[in-house]
Amino acid sequence: MSSCLEEKHSRIFVTGPIIVGAGPSGLSVAACLSNRGVPSVILERTDCLASLWQKRTYDRLKLHLPKHFCELPLMKFPKNFPRYPSKQQFISYVESYAARFNIKPVFNQTVEKAEFDVATGLWTVKTQDAVYSSTWLVVATGENAEPVIPDIPGLKKFTGPVVHTSAYKSGSEFANRKVLVVGCGNSGMEVCLDLCRYNALPHMVVRNSVHVLPRDCFGLSSFGIAMTLLKWFPLKLVDNLLLLLAKFSLGNTDRLGLRRPKTGPIELKNVTGKTPVLDVGAIALIQSGQIRVTQAVKEITRKGAKFVDGQEMEFDSIILATGYKSNVPDWLKDNSFFTKEGMPKTPFPNGWKGENGLYTVGFTRRGLLGTAFDAVKIAEDITEQWMKMNGPLGSSNICSSPHIIHFQFNKS
């Protein structure tokens, strides 16, 4: 399989699995494997752990769910952390997690191609510096690998700044400006809230229906209430109860231009992956007029935007709160396990395992809870195969032995 190009690189055989991505998903699998005495190698394209959190999130970000729903396997959050840890607290937790399980990714390694070699029965993973081979490949790049830039007519004509939320840090950069925020999910709502802190005037584009729920109700997490009720009641009943709580707490959001879908919030999340917005104050600012809601954009002009309802307005800046997408199709070759959008074809809870030693984690559309579920399953499955190949060795024996073998190819 080695091409002339590959022969310019070091060839590295990994005795355990190759994990692509050093975010919470990849770290969770590595930790669960380490706990069972199985070594692994993580390849990470950036220079840090959890790069989405460290490099592509805004300063005011906090976990949207209570911390006990966001714990990685085998390690709880510190007791002194608040119910909703901040961005910096979550990053410190992830770094402590990696240190506890002695996880040391190979940083600055962009995977250019990964494919299964039928002849050898190995996965070959090529980066700009080396070619790695292993019996197992764990795809841990997740659902949020690349920003989604919408194809809006005229967007390139706009003379002001156009920023995706992956590059947005704080509303201080937009103080006293009139800003068009495209997108009304959790990021869009929180960016609007942040902009208002700096006396900006955000106009939020709402193209489709959206569920907005209070993050907390009666001092309890709405998500926690839902998870508890689901233990005893059917999903549709729990959805109806959540909508009653939302109406009691937030009022009729349809009157604000935020139409609710006909399908309930949990059912919609399970079927489509579309997450309900957990309100942390944006609804009150919409009600007071500090955040304006607009209909879908028809066209961007040099100085602003035209909307489908015929209105036209000028704006100083545009922020794209349009989410992220998987990048798996860009580098995983000749594989039928993923859709063209880069998501596993098999739905949760069975989408974690493919064929020929292929595994996926971070694609459940169920946040860190889904990640933890898949990580444990993957580690159990690989450990069973590892033990058959290597014998019932203790974890100390396995981890003390070398788990990568280097072969240097020099071009003649």
Side-chain angles (χ1 to χ4, degrees):
M1 169 175 277
S2 295
S3 65
C4 293
L5 180 63
E6 287 174 344
E7 290 180 1
K8 297 177 184 177
H9 296 74
S10 295
R11 193 168 187 89
I12 301 170
F13 178 72
V14 182
T15 59
I18 298 169
I19 301 171
V20 182
S25 297
L27 296 175
S28 294
V29 174
C32 290
L33 288 167
S34 176
N35 192 56
R36 290 168 170 80
V38 180
S40 61
V41 169
I42 299 181
L43 303 178
E44 167 57 40
R45 64 179 175 176
T46 71
D47 60 357
C48 64
L49 303 171
S51 63
L52 179 67
W53 280 83
Q54 298 218 45
K55 296 178 180 289
R56 295 186 174 188
T57 51
Y58 39 93
D59 295 341
R60 66 165 282 128
L61 179 66
K62 294 183 178 181
L63 289 178
H64 291 129
L65 303 181
K67 61 184 179 183
H68 65 278
F69 289 115
C70 301
E71 291 171 346
L72 303 185
L74 307 171
M75 182 172 150
K76 295 182 179 298
F77 279 97
K79 290 183 178 179
N80 64 330
F81 275 25
R83 178 188 289 182
Y84 300 101
S86 68
K87 168 183 172 176
Q88 288 304 322
Q89 287 171 325
F90 184 74
I91 291 170
S92 72
Y93 167 74
V94 168
E95 290 175 339
S96 298
Y97 187 82
R100 175 173 173 176
F101 295 99
N102 196 30
I103 301 169
K104 298 177 180 178
V106 186
F107 292 112
N108 300 307
Q109 293 296 299
T110 299
V111 172
E112 299 171 352
K113 182 173 69 172
E115 57 187 336
F116 183 72
D117 184 354
V118 177
T120 63
L122 298 174
W123 285 94
T124 299
V125 181
K126 181 181 176 297
T127 72
Q128 78 276 13
D129 294 330
V131 178
Y132 297 79
S133 296
S134 172
T135 304
W136 305 281
L137 174 64
V138 181
V139 179
T141 47
E143 308 157 7
N144 302 315
E146 303 292 343
V148 172
I149 307 299
D151 184 17
I152 304 175
L155 186 61
K156 292 181 180 179
K157 293 186 211 171
F158 186 67
T159 56
V162 179
V163 179
H164 188 273
T165 47
S166 59
Y168 176 94
K169 296 301 176 187
S170 167
S172 61
E173 302 169 37
F174 302 89
N176 304 307
R177 295 184 187 176
K178 190 176 179 182
V179 183
L180 181 67
V181 178
V182 182
C184 61
N186 280 299
S187 293
M189 291 273 193
E190 287 199 31
V191 164
C192 287
L193 192 61
D194 193 49
L195 288 168
C196 288
R197 293 172 58 198
Y198 295 92
N199 296 315
L201 180 57
H203 286 63
M204 184 174 66
V205 175
V206 179
R207 188 178 59 178
N208 300 312
S209 57
V210 58
H211 277 301
V212 184
L213 305 175
R215 187 185 67 175
D216 298 288
C217 202
F218 306 117
L220 300 172
S221 154
S222 294
F223 183 80
I225 293 172
M227 292 301 100
T228 301
L229 291 175
L230 283 171
K231 295 177 182 177
W232 291 288
F233 300 106
L235 185 147
K236 286 188 180 296
L237 177 58
V238 175
D239 266 344
N240 287 334
L241 289 172
L242 283 178
L243 293 175
L244 282 174
L245 286 174
K247 190 169 184 179
F248 173 80
S249 178
L250 305 175
N252 184 355
T253 56
D254 284 35
R255 294 178 181 175
L256 304 175
L258 302 169
R259 294 177 296 105
R260 290 196 180 277
K262 294 180 179 178
T263 307
I266 301 176
E267 184 180 0
L268 189 68
K269 171 69 173 172
N270 290 346
V271 173
T272 69
K274 188 174 181 180
T275 304
V277 173
L278 296 175
D279 179 59
V280 291
I283 293 297
L285 295 187
I286 293 172
Q287 291 169 335
S288 69
Q290 291 173 265
I291 298 173
R292 310 283 175 85
V293 173
T294 75
Q295 293 192 19
V297 173
K298 180 180 179 181
E299 178 188 359
I300 299 295
T301 63
R302 291 184 71 255
K303 296 292 185 181
K306 294 179 181 178
F307 299 90
V308 293
D309 60 359
Q311 289 192 71
E312 182 173 356
M313 286 185 270
E314 291 189 355
F315 294 98
D316 300 307
S317 307
I318 297 175
I319 297 174
L320 303 174
T322 45
Y324 295 85
K325 63 181 179 180
S326 166
N327 68 1
V328 173
D330 296 339
W331 55 271
L332 185 63
K333 306 303 177 185
D334 303 321
N335 192 274
S336 59
F337 187 71
F338 285 87
T339 65
K340 63 181 181 179
E341 291 79 27
M343 298 294 290
K345 291 179 180 177
T346 308
F348 181 84
N350 300 310
W352 56 273
K353 184 178 181 179
E355 296 180 343
N356 301 318
L358 177 68
Y359 298 87
T360 72
V361 60
F363 295 88
T364 64
R365 289 178 168 147
R366 283 166 172 76
L368 293 171
L369 267 178
T371 288
F373 177 91
D374 281 356
V376 171
K377 290 285 187 184
I378 291 168
E380 288 174 349
D381 199 66
I382 292 177
T383 301
E384 183 178 347
Q385 298 171 58
W386 170 269
M387 298 299 279
K388 289 178 181 177
M389 294 168 62
N390 296 277
L393 298 176
S395 61
S396 59
N397 292 332
I398 294 172
C399 290
S400 63
S401 62
H403 60 271
I404 59 175
I405 303 171
H406 292 259
F407 300 94
Q408 184 70 43
F409 288 87
N410 295 315
K411 187 178 179 184
S412 57

